Amino acid sequence: SKYDMLPNLVAGAGYMNRNNYSGGTSWQFANQTQGAAGSSVTQTPGSYSTSSEMNHKLRSVEFSWNVLDFGVSYYRAKQRADEFMMAQERKRRVIQTMVHDVRFAYLRALAAQRLAGETENVMKQAEVAIDQSRAAESRGAIPVQTALAYQRALVDAVALLNTRRQELDFAKAELAALMSAPTNQFTLADTPEQALQPLPNNLALLEDTALLNRPELREEDYRKRISGDETRRQLMQAYPNLSFGIGTQYDSNKLLYNNDWVESSARVSWNLLRVLSAPAVKKAGERQLEVDDARRQALSMAIMTQTRIAALRYGLAKN
Protein backbone atom coordinates (compact mmCIF):
# COMPACT_ATOMS: atom_id res chain seq x y z
CA SER A 1 0.00 0.00 0.00
CA LYS A 2 2.91 2.38 0.65
CA TYR A 3 4.22 1.78 -2.87
CA ASP A 4 0.85 2.93 -4.25
CA MET A 5 1.66 6.46 -3.00
CA LEU A 6 4.75 6.70 -5.23
CA PRO A 7 4.58 8.48 -8.61
CA ASN A 8 4.50 6.44 -11.80
CA LEU A 9 7.73 5.95 -13.75
CA VAL A 10 7.05 4.10 -17.00
CA ALA A 11 9.60 3.07 -19.61
CA GLY A 12 8.34 2.00 -23.02
CA ALA A 13 9.63 0.94 -26.40
CA GLY A 14 7.96 0.14 -29.69
CA TYR A 15 8.36 -0.42 -33.39
CA MET A 16 6.22 1.13 -36.13
CA ASN A 17 5.85 -0.35 -39.63
CA ARG A 18 3.79 0.67 -42.67
CA ASN A 19 3.55 -0.83 -46.14
CA ASN A 20 3.62 2.66 -47.70
CA TYR A 21 4.53 6.20 -46.82
CA SER A 22 2.09 8.43 -44.96
CA GLY A 23 1.98 11.50 -47.18
CA GLY A 24 -0.23 14.53 -47.15
CA THR A 25 -0.83 17.94 -48.65
CA SER A 26 -1.18 21.36 -47.06
CA TRP A 27 -3.13 24.57 -47.56
CA GLN A 28 -1.47 27.92 -48.18
CA PHE A 29 -2.90 31.31 -47.26
CA ALA A 30 -3.51 33.50 -50.32
CA ASN A 31 -3.23 36.65 -48.18
CA GLN A 32 0.05 36.64 -46.24
CA THR A 33 -1.18 39.20 -43.72
CA GLN A 34 -1.71 37.21 -40.57
CA GLY A 35 -5.19 37.61 -39.14
CA ALA A 36 -6.40 39.80 -42.05
CA ALA A 37 -10.13 39.91 -42.46
CA GLY A 38 -11.47 37.95 -45.41
CA SER A 39 -8.20 36.10 -46.02
CA SER A 40 -8.60 32.93 -48.06
CA VAL A 41 -6.54 29.79 -48.55
CA THR A 42 -5.56 27.98 -51.71
CA GLN A 43 -4.24 24.49 -52.29
CA THR A 44 -1.13 23.94 -54.34
CA PRO A 45 -1.84 20.84 -56.50
CA GLY A 46 0.66 18.02 -56.43
CA SER A 47 2.57 19.30 -53.40
CA TYR A 48 2.47 16.10 -51.34
CA SER A 49 5.08 15.43 -48.68
CA THR A 50 5.79 13.08 -45.78
CA SER A 51 7.63 13.36 -42.50
CA SER A 52 7.44 9.74 -41.42
CA GLU A 53 9.46 6.74 -42.50
CA MET A 54 7.75 3.44 -43.14
CA ASN A 55 9.84 1.83 -40.39
CA HIS A 56 10.94 3.58 -37.23
CA LYS A 57 11.47 2.82 -33.54
CA LEU A 58 10.04 4.54 -30.48
CA ARG A 59 11.39 4.86 -26.95
CA SER A 60 10.07 6.84 -23.99
CA VAL A 61 10.54 7.31 -20.27
CA GLU A 62 7.61 9.10 -18.61
CA PHE A 63 7.22 10.32 -15.02
CA SER A 64 3.72 11.19 -13.80
CA TRP A 65 2.18 12.10 -10.44
CA ASN A 66 -1.50 12.26 -9.55
CA VAL A 67 -2.22 14.32 -6.43
CA LEU A 68 -5.64 12.76 -5.80
CA ASP A 69 -4.33 9.22 -6.19
CA PHE A 70 -1.57 10.06 -3.71
CA GLY A 71 -4.11 11.23 -1.10
CA VAL A 72 -6.38 8.22 -1.61
CA SER A 73 -3.41 5.84 -1.43
CA TYR A 74 -2.24 7.56 1.75
CA TYR A 75 -5.47 6.78 3.61
CA ARG A 76 -5.57 3.29 2.13
CA ALA A 77 -2.05 2.66 3.47
CA LYS A 78 -3.16 3.83 6.93
CA GLN A 79 -6.09 1.43 6.77
CA ARG A 80 -3.80 -1.46 5.81
CA ALA A 81 -1.52 -0.60 8.74
CA ASP A 82 -4.50 -0.71 11.14
CA GLU A 83 -5.62 -4.01 9.61
CA PHE A 84 -2.15 -5.38 10.31
CA MET A 85 -2.46 -4.26 13.95
CA MET A 86 -5.90 -5.92 14.13
CA ALA A 87 -4.31 -9.15 12.92
CA GLN A 88 -1.69 -8.82 15.65
CA GLU A 89 -4.44 -8.43 18.27
CA ARG A 90 -6.22 -11.51 16.93
CA LYS A 91 -2.92 -13.37 17.15
CA ARG A 92 -2.52 -12.19 20.75
CA ARG A 93 -6.03 -13.41 21.59
CA VAL A 94 -5.24 -16.84 20.10
CA ILE A 95 -2.04 -17.01 22.17
CA GLN A 96 -3.91 -16.11 25.36
CA THR A 97 -6.54 -18.78 24.68
CA MET A 98 -3.88 -21.36 23.88
CA VAL A 99 -1.94 -20.63 27.08
CA HIS A 100 -5.14 -20.92 29.12
CA ASP A 101 -6.13 -24.21 27.45
CA VAL A 102 -2.66 -25.70 27.93
CA ARG A 103 -2.58 -24.80 31.62
CA PHE A 104 -6.08 -26.13 32.19
CA ALA A 105 -5.33 -29.41 30.36
CA TYR A 106 -2.01 -29.74 32.21
CA LEU A 107 -3.61 -29.41 35.65
CA ARG A 108 -6.34 -31.91 34.76
CA ALA A 109 -3.81 -34.36 33.33
CA LEU A 110 -1.62 -33.94 36.43
CA ALA A 111 -4.63 -34.64 38.65
CA ALA A 112 -5.37 -37.80 36.65
CA GLN A 113 -1.75 -38.88 36.99
CA ARG A 114 -1.82 -38.36 40.76
CA LEU A 115 -5.12 -40.17 41.25
CA ALA A 116 -4.45 -43.06 38.85
CA GLY A 117 -3.18 -45.53 41.47
CA GLU A 118 -5.54 -44.38 44.19
CA THR A 119 -8.56 -44.66 41.89
CA GLU A 120 -7.73 -48.27 41.05
CA ASN A 121 -7.47 -49.16 44.74
CA VAL A 122 -10.80 -47.52 45.54
CA MET A 123 -12.56 -49.33 42.69
CA LYS A 124 -11.11 -52.67 43.78
CA GLN A 125 -12.24 -52.01 47.35
CA ALA A 126 -15.73 -51.16 46.07
CA GLU A 127 -15.91 -54.42 44.12
CA VAL A 128 -14.84 -56.39 47.20
CA ALA A 129 -17.42 -54.56 49.31
CA ILE A 130 -20.17 -55.39 46.79
CA ASP A 131 -19.20 -59.08 46.84
CA GLN A 132 -19.18 -59.12 50.65
CA SER A 133 -22.58 -57.41 50.74
CA ARG A 134 -24.04 -60.02 48.40
CA ALA A 135 -22.57 -62.81 50.52
CA ALA A 136 -24.01 -61.31 53.71
CA GLU A 137 -27.37 -60.95 51.95
CA SER A 138 -27.38 -64.58 50.88
CA ARG A 139 -26.61 -65.69 54.47
CA GLY A 140 -29.42 -63.51 55.78
CA ALA A 141 -27.03 -61.51 57.94
CA ILE A 142 -28.54 -58.19 56.72
CA PRO A 143 -31.94 -57.36 55.32
CA VAL A 144 -32.33 -57.52 51.54
CA GLN A 145 -33.39 -53.88 51.18
CA THR A 146 -30.43 -52.68 53.22
CA ALA A 147 -28.01 -54.81 51.18
CA LEU A 148 -29.45 -53.63 47.86
CA ALA A 149 -29.33 -49.96 48.92
CA TYR A 150 -25.72 -50.41 50.01
CA GLN A 151 -24.80 -52.13 46.73
CA ARG A 152 -26.56 -49.45 44.72
CA ALA A 153 -24.64 -46.72 46.53
CA LEU A 154 -21.37 -48.50 45.81
CA VAL A 155 -22.24 -49.01 42.12
CA ASP A 156 -23.16 -45.33 41.80
CA ALA A 157 -19.91 -44.31 43.43
CA VAL A 158 -17.89 -46.58 41.13
CA ALA A 159 -19.71 -45.23 38.05
CA LEU A 160 -19.12 -41.64 39.13
CA LEU A 161 -15.47 -42.35 39.87
CA ASN A 162 -15.02 -44.07 36.51
CA THR A 163 -16.61 -41.13 34.66
CA ARG A 164 -14.36 -38.68 36.48
CA ARG A 165 -11.30 -40.79 35.68
CA GLN A 166 -12.21 -40.89 31.99
CA GLU A 167 -12.56 -37.11 31.93
CA LEU A 168 -9.16 -36.67 33.53
CA ASP A 169 -7.53 -39.26 31.29
CA PHE A 170 -8.88 -37.42 28.24
CA ALA A 171 -7.09 -34.29 29.47
CA LYS A 172 -3.74 -35.93 28.75
CA ALA A 173 -4.69 -36.57 25.13
CA GLU A 174 -5.99 -33.01 24.90
CA LEU A 175 -2.71 -31.67 26.30
CA ALA A 176 -0.74 -33.71 23.75
CA ALA A 177 -2.89 -32.28 20.95
CA LEU A 178 -2.40 -28.71 22.18
CA MET A 179 1.38 -29.23 22.25
CA SER A 180 1.31 -31.02 18.85
CA ALA A 181 3.08 -33.91 20.56
CA PRO A 182 3.36 -37.09 18.43
CA THR A 183 2.20 -39.26 21.35
CA ASN A 184 0.58 -38.93 24.75
CA GLN A 185 2.84 -41.53 26.34
CA PHE A 186 4.65 -39.12 28.63
CA THR A 187 4.85 -38.40 32.34
CA LEU A 188 4.16 -34.93 33.67
CA ALA A 189 6.51 -33.31 36.15
CA ASP A 190 4.72 -33.33 39.49
CA THR A 191 5.31 -29.83 40.80
CA PRO A 192 4.02 -28.65 44.17
CA GLU A 193 0.74 -26.79 44.05
CA GLN A 194 0.89 -23.05 44.27
CA ALA A 195 -0.90 -21.29 47.08
CA LEU A 196 -4.15 -19.71 45.96
CA GLN A 197 -4.15 -15.95 45.89
CA PRO A 198 -6.58 -14.14 48.17
CA LEU A 199 -9.87 -12.97 46.77
CA PRO A 200 -9.35 -9.64 44.94
CA ASN A 201 -11.12 -6.79 46.65
CA ASN A 202 -10.45 -4.03 44.09
CA LEU A 203 -12.78 -4.92 41.23
CA ALA A 204 -12.42 -1.46 39.65
CA LEU A 205 -8.69 -2.05 39.14
CA LEU A 206 -9.37 -5.46 37.60
CA GLU A 207 -11.93 -3.95 35.24
CA ASP A 208 -9.54 -1.19 34.17
CA THR A 209 -6.80 -3.74 33.52
CA ALA A 210 -9.16 -5.88 31.44
CA LEU A 211 -10.39 -2.89 29.43
CA LEU A 212 -6.80 -1.83 28.68
CA ASN A 213 -5.40 -5.24 27.76
CA ARG A 214 -8.18 -7.27 26.14
CA PRO A 215 -7.30 -7.85 22.45
CA GLU A 216 -10.96 -7.67 21.38
CA LEU A 217 -11.29 -4.11 22.62
CA ARG A 218 -8.04 -3.00 20.99
CA GLU A 219 -9.26 -4.54 17.75
CA GLU A 220 -12.40 -2.40 17.96
CA ASP A 221 -10.23 0.70 18.41
CA TYR A 222 -8.40 -0.06 15.17
CA ARG A 223 -11.71 -0.80 13.44
CA LYS A 224 -12.98 2.66 14.40
CA ARG A 225 -9.85 4.28 12.97
CA ILE A 226 -10.33 2.35 9.73
CA SER A 227 -13.92 3.60 9.49
CA GLY A 228 -12.77 7.22 9.97
CA ASP A 229 -10.05 6.90 7.32
CA GLU A 230 -12.54 5.31 4.92
CA THR A 231 -14.84 8.34 5.23
CA ARG A 232 -11.94 10.75 4.69
CA ARG A 233 -10.74 8.72 1.70
CA GLN A 234 -14.13 8.86 0.02
CA LEU A 235 -14.54 12.57 0.75
CA MET A 236 -11.11 13.26 -0.77
CA GLN A 237 -12.31 11.83 -4.08
CA ALA A 238 -14.71 14.80 -4.32
CA TYR A 239 -11.77 17.24 -4.54
CA PRO A 240 -10.36 18.46 -7.88
CA ASN A 241 -7.71 16.21 -9.31
CA LEU A 242 -4.32 17.64 -10.34
CA SER A 243 -1.87 15.52 -12.28
CA PHE A 244 1.61 16.29 -13.61
CA GLY A 245 3.65 14.46 -16.18
CA ILE A 246 7.05 14.78 -17.81
CA GLY A 247 9.01 12.40 -19.98
CA THR A 248 11.61 12.00 -22.67
CA GLN A 249 10.57 10.74 -26.10
CA TYR A 250 12.68 9.34 -28.91
CA ASP A 251 11.72 8.50 -32.48
CA SER A 252 14.22 7.02 -34.94
CA ASN A 253 12.34 8.61 -37.86
CA LYS A 254 15.08 10.27 -39.97
CA LEU A 255 12.64 12.69 -41.56
CA LEU A 256 11.96 14.44 -38.26
CA TYR A 257 13.81 17.63 -37.48
CA ASN A 258 14.19 16.55 -33.81
CA ASN A 259 14.37 12.85 -33.05
CA ASP A 260 14.24 13.26 -29.27
CA TRP A 261 12.32 15.73 -27.17
CA VAL A 262 10.97 16.32 -23.67
CA GLU A 263 7.21 16.30 -23.23
CA SER A 264 5.47 17.75 -20.15
CA SER A 265 1.84 18.09 -19.16
CA ALA A 266 -0.42 19.32 -16.38
CA ARG A 267 -4.10 18.53 -16.09
CA VAL A 268 -6.92 19.44 -13.73
CA SER A 269 -10.17 17.47 -13.55
CA TRP A 270 -13.15 17.46 -11.22
CA ASN A 271 -15.82 14.80 -10.90
CA LEU A 272 -18.93 16.83 -10.12
CA LEU A 273 -20.98 13.73 -9.27
CA ARG A 274 -18.55 13.04 -6.43
CA VAL A 275 -19.25 16.53 -5.10
CA LEU A 276 -23.00 15.84 -5.07
CA SER A 277 -22.48 12.59 -3.15
CA ALA A 278 -20.19 14.14 -0.52
CA PRO A 279 -22.98 14.93 2.03
CA ALA A 280 -24.29 11.36 1.81
CA VAL A 281 -20.78 9.95 2.22
CA LYS A 282 -20.19 12.14 5.27
CA LYS A 283 -23.50 11.13 6.84
CA ALA A 284 -22.83 7.44 6.21
CA GLY A 285 -19.38 7.80 7.81
CA GLU A 286 -20.90 9.41 10.91
CA ARG A 287 -23.44 6.59 11.22
CA GLN A 288 -20.67 4.01 10.85
CA LEU A 289 -18.71 5.66 13.68
CA GLU A 290 -21.84 5.56 15.84
CA VAL A 291 -22.18 1.83 15.13
CA ASP A 292 -18.52 1.30 16.02
CA ASP A 293 -18.99 3.20 19.30
CA ALA A 294 -22.09 1.18 20.17
CA ARG A 295 -20.31 -2.10 19.44
CA ARG A 296 -17.33 -1.03 21.50
CA GLN A 297 -19.56 -0.04 24.44
CA ALA A 298 -21.36 -3.39 24.30
CA LEU A 299 -18.03 -5.22 24.24
CA SER A 300 -16.76 -3.11 27.17
CA MET A 301 -19.83 -4.02 29.22
CA ALA A 302 -19.35 -7.70 28.36
CA ILE A 303 -15.69 -7.57 29.45
CA MET A 304 -16.59 -5.86 32.74
CA THR A 305 -19.30 -8.47 33.37
CA GLN A 306 -16.89 -11.32 32.63
CA THR A 307 -14.36 -9.83 35.04
CA ARG A 308 -16.87 -9.60 37.88
CA ILE A 309 -18.23 -13.09 37.24
CA ALA A 310 -14.68 -14.49 37.14
CA ALA A 311 -13.86 -12.86 40.49
CA LEU A 312 -17.08 -14.25 41.99
CA ARG A 313 -16.42 -17.76 40.67
CA TYR A 314 -12.86 -17.64 42.00
CA GLY A 315 -14.13 -16.71 45.43
CA LEU A 316 -16.68 -19.53 45.42
CA ALA A 317 -14.10 -22.04 44.19
CA LYS A 318 -11.62 -20.95 46.85
CA ASN A 319 -14.21 -21.36 49.57
Side-chain angles (χ1 to χ4, degrees), residues 30-96:
N31 189 345
Q32 299 298 323
T33 304
Q34 185 176 4
S39 60
S40 59
V41 294
T42 60
Q43 182 181 10
T44 303
S47 58
Y48 294 98
S49 63
T50 183
S51 61
S52 176
E53 290 185 294
M54 287 190 295
N55 303 306
H56 59 104
K57 299 177 182 178
L58 303 173
R59 290 197 301 269
S60 66
V61 177
E62 299 177 355
F63 177 88
S64 62
W65 188 51
N66 191 303
V67 178
L68 186 56
D69 286 346
F70 170 80
V72 172
S73 300
Y74 169 74
Y75 284 113
R76 186 177 292 116
K78 290 184 62 177
Q79 290 177 312
R80 295 296 177 268
D82 287 334
E83 289 176 0
F84 171 78
M85 298 305 297
M86 289 173 62
Q88 293 297 103
E89 294 300 326
R90 287 194 291 269
K91 176 182 177 181
R92 195 162 67 93
R93 184 170 69 244
V94 171
I95 292 176
Q96 290 179 355

Side-chain angles (χ1 to χ4, degrees), residues 2 11 20 32 41 54 64 69 95 98 115 126 132 144 156 158 170 179 184 212 259 279 295 298 317:
K2 291 180 180 179
N20 54 16
Q32 299 298 323
V41 294
M54 287 190 295
S64 62
D69 286 346
I95 292 176
M98 184 180 300
L115 298 176
Q132 292 177 351
V144 176
D156 291 341
V158 170
F170 180 74
M179 297 188 302
N184 59 358
L212 286 174
N259 292 95
R295 185 170 55 240

